[in-house]
Amino acid sequence: MGQAANRVDRKEVRSRSKQRQKNMQKLMWVTGGVLIIALIVAVAFLKPADKQADPNSFDFNAMATLGSKDAKVKIVEFGDFKCPACQVFSQDVEPQLKAEYIDKGLVSLSFMNYPFIGPDSRTAALAGLSVYHQNNDAFWKYYDALYKNQPNESEIWATPDYLVQLAQSEKLDIDFDKLRSDIENETYADQLSDQMSRVKPLGVTGTPTLFVNGTKVGGADAMKYDAVKAAVDKALAAVEEAGK
């Protein structure tokens, strides 16, 4: 009788042991799931709202720049010459920036290409690079003319003929034969590829996208002068504070 009772006790012990193991496994799964969820939530809260860029990572000597390269605040614009939103920036925001900050030596504006709207966006970008490499000041005149005369984005309009004719009508101080040759031979294709390689790492998803001393200003804010001005003033204040 005692041996039978011992066998029953051992069976019960083993049964309880197995049940405890199952309970522990369930607890571990539940705890692990909770920890994973907590980690995901923590990462979501810690993730910055906007991408930041090291201002020194931009090669300003290889970009068309409006204003002093020694300006305290440097703005980098990613743009597409076929982009209607970029047209808004060029006509509504850039002139005010120029009058209030750029002409006073406080801010500079540099341009990087992100041609994504159509195949002729790339053609226009190559034309812009050709003009820039011939004459930085002529680039900004060309920049204004391209946006001012911008046809509908659904049209294929940025052809070599159109781009050269526009440069001629604006009487740019450049070699027009070289402009055509640079477009057709894609002279600056490597530089264009290098500029486009910056898009994804910086989280650029559309144009215009600005980086004001490395701080991203994108979306609708890039088309509102007050929003851009606020970012510029904040950057100027940070520079002044750092210099004290």
Side-chain angles (χ1 to χ4, degrees):
M1 188 71 181
Q3 292 178 349
N6 287 338
R7 284 196 296 270
V8 171
D9 289 343
R10 285 196 294 270
K11 286 181 180 180
E12 186 175 349
V13 169
R14 285 196 297 269
S15 176
R16 290 179 179 177
S17 177
K18 288 181 179 179
Q19 187 61 44
R20 283 197 298 270
Q21 289 177 359
K22 288 181 180 180
N23 291 340
M24 285 297 294
Q25 288 176 345
K26 288 180 181 179
L27 181 61
M28 289 173 66
W29 278 107
V30 171
T31 304
V34 171
L35 287 173
I36 290 171
I37 292 171
L39 181 61
I40 292 171
V41 171
V43 170
F45 276 102
L46 289 173
K47 184 179 178 180
D50 286 320
K51 288 277 186 178
Q52 300 291 311
D54 179 0
N56 297 320
S57 69
F58 292 108
D59 184 2
F60 292 96
N61 292 319
M63 290 187 284
T65 297
L66 183 65
S68 173
K69 290 188 178 182
D70 295 324
K72 294 179 179 179
V73 172
K74 294 177 171 61
I75 301 174
V76 176
E77 173 197 355
F78 282 82
D80 182 329
F81 289 118
K82 289 195 66 178
C83 170
C86 294
Q87 182 188 57
V88 173
F89 174 81
S90 73
Q91 295 185 334
D92 295 349
V93 179
E94 183 265 344
Q96 295 186 74
L97 281 175
K98 187 174 185 299
E100 188 168 355
Y101 298 102
I102 296 174
D103 287 347
K104 296 176 182 178
L106 297 172
V107 172
S108 65
L109 173 65
S110 298
F111 186 80
M112 292 192 78
N113 292 284
Y114 177 25
F116 72 98
I117 290 178
D120 55 331
S121 292
R122 187 173 187 276
T123 311
L126 290 169
L129 285 169
S130 174
V131 172
Y132 155 64
H133 280 282
Q134 292 193 57
N135 185 330
N136 179 75
D137 292 338
F139 170 85
W140 291 100
K141 189 175 180 180
Y142 197 47
Y143 168 100
D144 290 337
L146 281 166
Y147 286 124
K148 181 180 178 181
N149 297 282
Q150 184 189 74
N152 190 287
E153 64 181 310
S154 64
E155 299 176 19
I156 303 295
W157 57 263
T159 62
D161 284 343
Y162 177 87
L163 294 165
V164 173
Q165 288 170 7
L166 181 63
Q168 290 173 328
S169 68
E170 293 295 318
K171 299 179 180 178
L172 300 185
D173 185 16
I174 62 169
D175 183 330
F176 301 116
D177 290 334
K178 186 177 189 310
L179 171 59
R180 181 179 292 277
S181 175
D182 285 343
I183 296 171
E184 294 176 346
N185 295 321
E186 299 192 353
T187 303
Y188 298 104
D190 288 345
Q191 185 176 1
L192 179 57
S193 295
D194 180 67
Q195 290 186 355
M196 290 184 67
S197 72
R198 304 295 303 277
V199 167
K200 188 174 180 180
L202 291 174
V204 176
T205 57
T207 55
T209 295
L210 312 177
F211 286 90
V212 181
N213 270 14
T215 298
K216 181 181 174 183
V217 180
D221 283 347
M223 294 179 282
K224 297 175 183 176
Y225 181 66
D226 287 346
V228 177
K229 174 180 169 58
V232 169
D233 288 342
K234 183 176 180 180
L236 282 170
V239 171
E240 292 176 3
E241 181 66 26
K244 290 181 180 179

